[in-house]
Amino acid sequence: MSEAVSLQTVVGVNVFAANCPSRSVLDHVTSKWGVLVIVALSGDTLRWGELRRSIGGISEKMLAQTLRVLEADGMVLRTVQATIPPRVDYQLTDRGRSLADRLIPLVEWVGDNAVEIVAGRPEAGAS
Amino acid sequence: MSEAVSLQTVVGVNVFAANCPSRSVLDHVTSKWGVLVIVALSGDTLRWGELRRSIGGISEKMLAQTLRVLEADGMVLRTVQATIPPRVDYQLTDRGRSLADRLIPLVEWVGDNAVEIVAGRPEAGAS
DNA sequence: GAAGGTACCCACTATTTGGTAAGCTACTAA
DNA sequence: TTAGTAGCTTACCAAATAGTGGGTACCTTC
């Protein structure tokens, strides 16, 4: 059990504790849409509409909600230009970029292994 | 936009496409309890009860459900010994271990940054 | 004989998450 | 005049997720 224990010891807070506030952070950074938003912004600054179009299947509601959470956690910076039509830019903060460095390998892993994993799943109604 | 585009190009499938099957894999590996189970098992094999006790706050139902999903995706291996009382061991497969290699840096990042992030959040009911 | 441990499953309920569709402001183009 | 654009917000509803409490089987300990 050496490794798992050392993990809990090394980090400042214990993610394995039920009431640890880090749990909320973990939930945000591993949320369904949060991951994709962070990775999408890892390339460069995107406008609202660009973000919406680049993340297939996201609804406006979910995009807005996800961006608000990520902004509150200091991962994403929102810049409004009061022009007509309005222009709103989203970019990663330093913190967001350091998070993206951890998320990109994960997303790449999913991309590399997804086909195999899906193909290997037992069928739901197998006899 | 070079980086974000190259990310989509490099991986075999496009995680940004709405109907891509990789989305389900992404959902599983970033699920609330899935992350903690994988990381907990990264140290070594654990029994059902050990797993339950080491992940604070998880219910039996959620642990069972999470383990079934991870087993179906080939991340976790379940070994039953038909002794009395029954003994069931859970361990990572090779695939699970390679996933853990991507998840541990993320969880460590959360552990290192959680305090700062939580402290910096705007207060909900600020005047 | 009652209680406890192990590793679950099942039904029911509650909470959270997510989707759909509409509306909003202020403009421009047809 | 109507439609369209940009970037949202709100209300309503469906679905997924999560918790509770019970039951199971078989044995050991009190």
Side-chain angles (χ1 to χ4, degrees), chain A residues 52-94:
Chain A
R52 174 146 169 55
R53 279 185 296 272
S54 64
I55 302 175
I58 196 169
S59 67
E60 300 199 328
K61 180 185 157 183
M62 278 302 107
L63 180 55
Q65 202 172 100
T66 304
L67 284 170
R68 257 183 278 132
V69 168
L70 293 178
E71 197 193 350
D73 276 5
M75 321 277 189
V76 166
L77 188 67
R78 180 172 179 269
T79 318
V80 187
Q81 285 164 48
T83 54
I84 297 292
R87 180 191 174 98
V88 183
D89 289 308
Y90 293 93
Q91 58 188 305
L92 293 183
T93 60
D94 287 345

Side-chain angles (χ1 to χ4, degrees), chain A:
Chain A
M1 73 167 83
S2 52
E3 266 195 68
V5 165
S6 75
L7 192 89
Q8 296 179 37
T9 316
V10 159
V11 298
V13 296
N14 185 359
V15 198
F16 288 97
N19 51 3
C20 185
S22 65
R23 282 286 180 86
S24 70
V25 176
L26 188 63
D27 286 350
H28 292 171
V29 309
T30 60
S31 70
K32 172 172 175 154
W33 300 115
V35 174
L36 294 173
V37 167
I38 296 282
V39 174
L41 289 175
S42 69
D44 66 334
T45 300
L46 291 177
R47 299 182 60 175
W48 164 270
E50 293 171 332
L51 214 36
R52 174 146 169 55
R53 279 185 296 272
S54 64
I55 302 175
I58 196 169
S59 67
E60 300 199 328
K61 180 185 157 183
M62 278 302 107
L63 180 55
Q65 202 172 100
T66 304
L67 284 170
R68 257 183 278 132
V69 168
L70 293 178
E71 197 193 350
D73 276 5
M75 321 277 189
V76 166
L77 188 67
R78 180 172 179 269
T79 318
V80 187
Q81 285 164 48
T83 54
I84 297 292
R87 180 191 174 98
V88 183
D89 289 308
Y90 293 93
Q91 58 188 305
L92 293 183
T93 60
D94 287 345
R95 180 184 288 160
R97 239 168 284 121
S98 81
L99 171 61
D101 289 342
R102 272 76 178 187
L103 284 179
I104 290 173
L106 180 65
V107 173
E108 283 177 341
W109 184 92
V110 170
D112 291 341
N113 294 80
V115 172
E116 221 180 296
I117 292 171
V118 172
R121 278 184 194 150
E123 326 190 13
S127 59

Side-chain angles (χ1 to χ4, degrees), chain B residues 34 37-46 67 70 74-78 89-101 104:
Chain B
V37 167
I38 296 282
V39 174
L41 289 176
S42 70
D44 66 334
T45 299
L46 292 177
L67 284 170
L70 293 178
M75 321 277 189
V76 166
L77 188 66
R78 180 172 179 270
D89 289 309
Y90 292 93
Q91 59 187 305
L92 294 184
T93 59
D94 286 345
R95 180 184 288 160
R97 240 168 283 122
S98 81
L99 172 60
D101 290 342
I104 289 172

Side-chain angles (χ1 to χ4, degrees), chain B residues 12-33:
Chain B
V13 297
N14 185 1
V15 197
F16 288 98
N19 52 2
C20 186
S22 65
R23 281 286 179 85
S24 71
V25 176
L26 188 63
D27 286 350
H28 293 171
V29 307
T30 60
S31 71
K32 173 171 177 157
W33 300 114

